[in-house]
């Protein structure tokens, strides 16, 4: 198993320790904590997510936080949101919080995402990405034929609203979706996967950057099959490293550790030297054999 796939599994299975959580801003006055009117403001969802982290950190300072305490806290904060009115982008934010698994919100999220799955805008892209991730996370696609999984992934990666959804932070699980296919199943998606280089801009959300290595893995394997892509692969690797280093100081401790780990992997010989010879430097002729 490749080191990248192991990292993806570890990242999903083991959330950051309490000591690694970033301190969110203080809670707003109680008058602002009441359930916002529909449509729900993004700021309301952001506050709920941050407030859970803040209060959980306070609980942790006094000792071990019981599961019941975490569930009660999640329930109390989630009650301030009309969940039925959340957009796919807002569900994506909530899914990134411990609130989501603590309250087992999967079925509610799937129901809410349904009406958006046929839309071509950023909310539609957010719905497609999260819907597919929830299905994969539950193991629903484990036995599906490779062709079906490739088609599902292609639909998400080529969605016309994907770029905007990524920029707005509505598709945080995008790179984790690439674990749906094994490297040997990636060739039908080669051009699509390499086209994701367009997302590697300075406005890529900071919290997505520690997952960049999960995109690099299939690109590397595709380059093994087609060495003509070596130049593009190296350009992408260097761009990923730039984005990771730029984000390092701004990330919360847990994400910072993940970014440092991803940086180390992208700097490794494994990443720099795939199973194809590196082209000689322009001013140096190939060595005689």
């Amino acid at each position: 198993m490749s080191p990248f796939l192991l990292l993806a599994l570890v990242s999903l299975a083991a959330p950051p320790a309490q000591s690694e959580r970033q301190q969110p801003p203080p809670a707003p006055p109680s008058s602002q904590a009441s359930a916002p009117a529909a449509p729900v403001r993004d700021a309301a969802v952001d506050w709920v997510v941050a407030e859970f982290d803040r209060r959980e950190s306070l609980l942790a300072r006094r000792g071990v936080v019981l599961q019941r305490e975490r569930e009660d806290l999640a329930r109390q904060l989630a009650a301030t949101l009309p969940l039925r009115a959340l957009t796919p982008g807002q569900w994506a934010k909530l899914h990134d919080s411990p609130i989501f698994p603590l309250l087992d919100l999967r079925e509610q999220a799937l129901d809410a995402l349904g009406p958006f799955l046929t839309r071509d805008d950023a909310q539609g892209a957010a719905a497609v990405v999260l819907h597919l991730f929830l299905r994969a996370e539950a193991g629903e696609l484990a036995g599906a034929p490779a062709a079906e999984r490739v088609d599902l992934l292609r639909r998400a990666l080529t969605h016309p609203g994907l770029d905007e959804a990524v920029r707005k932070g509505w598709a945080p699980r995008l790179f984790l979706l690439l674990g749906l296919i094994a490297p040997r199943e990636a060739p039908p998606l080669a051009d699509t996967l390499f086209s994701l280089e367009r997302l590697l801009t300075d406005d890529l959300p900071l919290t997505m950057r520690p997952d960049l290595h999960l995109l690099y893995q299939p690109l590397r394997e595709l380059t093994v099959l087609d060495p003509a892509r070596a130049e593009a692969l190296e350009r992408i690797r260097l761009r990923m490293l730039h984005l990771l280093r730029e984000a390092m100081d701004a990330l919360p401790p847990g994400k910072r550790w993940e970014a440092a780990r991803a940086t180390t992997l992208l700097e490794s010989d494994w990443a720099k030297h795939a199973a194809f010879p590196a082209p000689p430097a322009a001013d140096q002729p190939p060595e005689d054999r």
Side-chain angles (χ1 to χ4, degrees):
M1 182 179 292
S2 76
F4 288 117
L5 184 54
L6 282 172
L7 283 177
L9 294 174
V10 170
S11 297
L12 284 174
Q18 293 293 339
S19 61
E20 295 178 335
R21 292 188 183 277
Q22 183 185 34
Q23 287 291 335
S30 58
S31 61
Q32 298 180 24
S34 58
V40 183
R41 295 174 296 112
D42 283 351
V45 180
D46 292 339
W47 178 81
V48 165
V49 170
E51 183 67 0
F52 178 89
D53 285 350
R54 188 185 76 85
R55 295 191 194 180
E56 188 182 39
S57 295
L58 292 176
L59 289 173
R61 291 178 186 176
R62 74 177 194 199
V64 177
V65 182
L66 300 177
Q67 180 73 359
R68 176 181 53 79
E69 293 178 305
R70 300 180 77 233
E71 291 173 354
D72 288 345
L73 177 58
R75 193 173 296 109
Q76 176 187 352
L77 291 170
T80 70
L81 295 172
L83 296 181
R84 291 180 179 273
L86 296 187
T87 65
Q90 292 166 343
W91 271 111
K93 292 182 177 185
L94 197 59
H95 180 257
D96 256 1
S97 167
I99 293 173
F100 193 95
L102 283 170
L103 300 184
D104 192 14
L105 297 176
R106 180 178 182 274
E107 293 304 320
Q108 291 186 58
L110 288 172
D111 288 344
L113 296 174
F116 291 87
L117 292 175
T118 57
R119 286 175 46 166
D120 290 335
D121 58 4
Q123 292 289 3
V128 168
V129 170
L130 183 55
H131 189 273
L132 183 55
F133 185 86
L134 290 173
R135 291 185 62 198
E137 189 178 41
E140 294 180 8
L141 303 175
E148 179 182 344
R149 287 181 280 108
V150 166
D151 285 345
L152 288 170
L153 190 55
R154 180 184 287 109
R155 182 189 175 203
L157 298 181
T158 60
H159 194 286
L162 181 64
D163 292 31
E164 183 181 354
V166 168
R167 287 195 303 272
K168 290 184 174 180
W170 294 349
R173 301 292 188 173
L174 178 66
F175 298 134
L176 287 168
L177 277 182
L178 301 180
L180 271 177
I181 57 172
R184 66 180 181 278
E185 298 166 345
L189 289 172
D191 290 339
T192 297
L193 290 170
F194 270 92
S195 75
L196 295 181
E197 181 181 2
R198 71 184 188 277
L199 300 178
L200 306 182
T201 58
D202 288 339
D203 57 357
L204 182 71
L206 297 181
T207 54
M208 290 185 69
R209 299 186 189 190
D211 295 333
L212 283 172
H213 60 285
L214 300 176
L215 170 60
Y216 187 82
Q217 179 189 11
L219 297 182
R220 178 189 180 277
E221 300 301 329
L222 288 167
T223 306
V224 171
L225 299 175
D226 182 7
R229 296 184 184 271
E231 183 177 347
L233 180 71
E234 178 63 4
R235 183 177 65 245
I236 289 170
R237 186 183 73 86
L238 294 176
R239 183 62 184 163
M240 288 178 173
L241 284 170
H242 165 76
L243 291 173
L244 284 163
R245 291 165 180 155
E246 183 184 63
M248 200 71 70
D249 292 339
L251 289 169
K255 285 287 187 180
R256 192 180 308 146
W257 180 80
E258 293 175 12
R261 183 178 57 179
T263 299
T264 298
L265 284 168
L266 287 170
E267 290 176 335
S268 69
D269 288 342
W270 185 90
K272 290 188 289 187
H273 306 295
F276 51 87
D283 58 348
Q284 295 179 357
E287 295 181 359
D288 293 333
R289 296 188 180 278

